Amino acid sequence: MGSEVNLSHSNMSAPPHPQPPAKGASHGAGDFSYVGIDAILEQMRRKAMKQGFELNIMIVGQSGLGKSTLMNTLFKSKVSRKSVVSTPEERIPKTIEIKSISHDIEEKGVRMKLTVIDTPGFGDHINNENCWQPIMKFINDQYEQYLQEEININRKKRIPDSRVHCCMYFIPPTGHCLRPLDVEFMSRLSKVVNIVPVIAKADTLTLEERDFFKQTIREGLRANGIDVYPQKEFDEDADDRMINDKIREMIPFAVVGSDQEYQVNGKRLLGRKTKWGTIEVENIAHCEFAYLRDLLIRTHMQNIKDITSSIHYEVYRVRRLNETNAQPNGQPPNTLVNPQQANGVAAQHQVLTHEM
């Protein structure tokens, strides 16, 4: 890359035509080695600012674990509404309901369409067998909807993306180990969506209990072959592996959510007030909310979407297209695809995604 033009050259005559406001324009005359390839970054930024972004997050867990409160805390707005019920019969739905709420959020000129998918009724019954099935069906339905749009002859210039990018799974703060329900859900759903497990209402545990519980959960995940996000097999290089290893050592995130502000040492902070003090939501000495927020929004949001598109959706797409190209007798071949098999097919898509 060439050196920047010295400010003393500012009295040079202006060119006859205005130059495009691209990054690197200041390299100008005199630096014959400069091509201007780095200007593509500014072009991509302007395009992304015009289009905006989409993020679809599913929240799964029993009632009363603070799912809606945590989502509102993450995005500092009312993006998830608490269920309003009037009778005991309505308090626990007879079946799992899937509810989606979309919001347009803007910060410093960046627009994002956030969709929060809630699953009231999950884990709230005496018999919770197969309660993961409606959620699995919903996720696959979104893949199917995207696939049908994609294979249309006259498809849209930009296909609306309703695919679930991330599933936050809320684990009750029991302090013991994963329940069979937790193992069953994450074992099955981790194959089709990025799962980020969190310990809800972590302020009910002491620091020693919290550390022991986190370690027990990590051991349970390994023992049952559950690969939560960020998945080790999808690390792209040594730098990614080093960053993601630190995240994997912290999983599950022990979080506290609150949309209430309190005065602490002259500053207004989000927190939960108790008799012995205020639990500061964004203070890493109190809980791990800040680490979860950084993962989902500030550092790994695009990667979460890339893995959804190039791995999870690709597995579904390959399987469905294989079924479509069934044998002449009408019976689809037995061609179930796992993420490892799809990696080869998805590699080209992953490269394209990162180059966009």
Side-chain angles (χ1 to χ4, degrees):
M1 201 68 65
S3 59
E4 294 186 1
V5 177
N6 193 290
L7 291 177
S8 62
H9 293 181
S10 59
N11 57 356
M12 295 176 63
S13 58
H17 299 290
Q19 298 299 310
K23 183 180 178 181
S26 62
H27 287 267
D31 186 354
F32 296 104
S33 65
Y34 179 71
V35 176
I37 297 173
D38 60 343
I40 188 65
L41 298 176
E42 178 63 19
Q43 297 172 40
M44 293 171 65
R45 189 192 71 83
R46 289 201 304 269
K47 182 178 180 181
M49 292 283 282
K50 286 181 181 178
Q51 290 182 343
F53 300 88
E54 295 173 320
L55 181 65
N56 307 320
I57 297 182
M58 173 178 278
I59 51 178
V60 179
Q62 289 178 247
S63 300
L65 291 180
K67 301 186 297 295
S68 299
T69 300
L70 183 66
M71 290 304 298
N72 294 338
T73 310
L74 272 172
F75 294 96
K76 297 187 184 300
S77 57
K78 300 289 184 181
V79 297
S80 182
R81 292 196 289 267
K82 297 178 182 178
S83 302
V84 179
V85 294
S86 55
T87 65
E89 290 75 17
E90 294 174 330
R91 191 165 291 118
I92 301 178
K94 292 182 179 179
T95 57
I96 296 175
E97 303 172 11
I98 311 288
K99 296 181 178 179
S100 298
I101 304 175
S102 295
H103 301 267
D104 291 317
I105 301 175
E106 184 168 339
E107 182 180 58
K108 296 183 179 181
V110 179
R111 293 178 293 106
M112 184 175 74
K113 180 183 178 184
L114 172 69
T115 300
V116 178
I117 304 119
D118 198 2
T119 56
F122 176 86
D124 290 337
H125 303 87
I126 295 175
N127 182 4
N128 292 299
E129 187 179 4
N130 297 331
C131 64
W132 53 269
Q133 289 181 344
I135 298 172
M136 174 80 84
K137 181 180 183 302
F138 178 87
I139 292 172
N140 284 331
D141 285 348
Q142 307 317 302
Y143 289 151
E144 181 67 24
Q145 183 177 324
Y146 193 91
L147 176 62
Q148 293 305 317
E149 290 283 355
E150 199 175 45
I151 63 178
N152 278 342
I153 295 176
N154 299 315
R155 63 182 181 181
K156 298 174 183 176
K157 184 177 179 181
R158 189 180 183 196
I159 301 174
D161 190 0
S162 63
R163 296 171 296 183
V164 179
H165 299 128
C166 174
C167 173
M168 288 177 56
Y169 185 74
F170 287 69
I171 300 170
T174 62
H176 301 300
C177 60
L178 290 173
R179 303 165 301 166
L181 173 62
D182 303 326
V183 173
E184 177 80 0
F185 179 87
M186 289 192 283
S187 293
R188 294 183 179 274
L189 272 294
S190 62
K191 296 177 175 62
V192 299
V193 70
N194 298 312
I195 290 184
V196 176
V198 300
I199 299 173
K201 296 190 173 181
D203 53 322
T204 61
L205 301 170
T206 66
L207 294 179
E208 292 78 11
E209 290 171 339
R210 188 181 77 178
D211 291 342
F212 175 77
F213 193 30
K214 283 164 62 74
Q215 180 62 31
T216 303
I217 290 174
R218 284 194 292 270
E219 291 172 358
L221 293 174
R222 282 194 294 269
N224 290 281
I226 301 171
D227 206 6
V228 298
Y229 183 85
Q231 300 91 334
K232 200 166 189 175
E233 62 183 310
F234 302 145
D235 290 343
E236 294 182 4
D237 51 38
D239 290 339
D240 268 4
R241 189 170 301 111
M242 182 175 64
I243 294 170
N244 290 340
D245 278 345
K246 292 180 181 178
I247 296 172
R248 284 186 277 264
E249 290 171 3
M250 297 184 63
I251 285 175
F253 297 99
V255 298
V256 176
S258 174
D259 48 15
Q260 299 294 316
E261 288 189 354
Y262 296 97
Q263 196 84 13
V264 179
N265 297 327
K267 296 180 181 179
R268 294 198 66 80
L269 303 170
L270 288 173
R272 286 170 56 85
K273 197 167 187 178
T274 67
K275 290 182 179 180
W276 53 88
T278 302
I279 300 166
E280 300 171 26
V281 168
E282 298 184 89
N283 187 337
I284 59 175
H286 292 189
C287 76
E288 296 171 341
F289 168 83
Y291 295 124
L292 174 66
R293 177 200 58 204
D294 289 352
L295 175 75
L296 294 178
I297 303 172
R298 301 185 181 182
T299 62
H300 282 65
M301 180 192 292
Q302 188 58 50
N303 183 255
I304 287 172
K305 295 179 65 175
D306 288 346
I307 289 180
T308 299
S309 177
S310 61
I311 303 295
H312 296 306
Y313 170 68
E314 192 66 17
V315 170
Y316 181 86
R317 190 186 73 87
V318 170
R319 177 172 62 81
R320 287 286 289 114
L321 293 181
N322 279 333
E323 290 174 356
T324 302
N325 299 326
Q327 296 174 346
N329 60 9
Q331 296 296 322
N334 184 17
T335 52
L336 292 178
V337 183
N338 60 38
Q340 289 79 8
Q341 291 172 322
N343 276 346
V345 181
Q348 297 176 355
H349 295 265
Q350 200 165 11
V351 171
L352 289 173
T353 303
H354 289 295
E355 290 179 349
M356 287 181 62

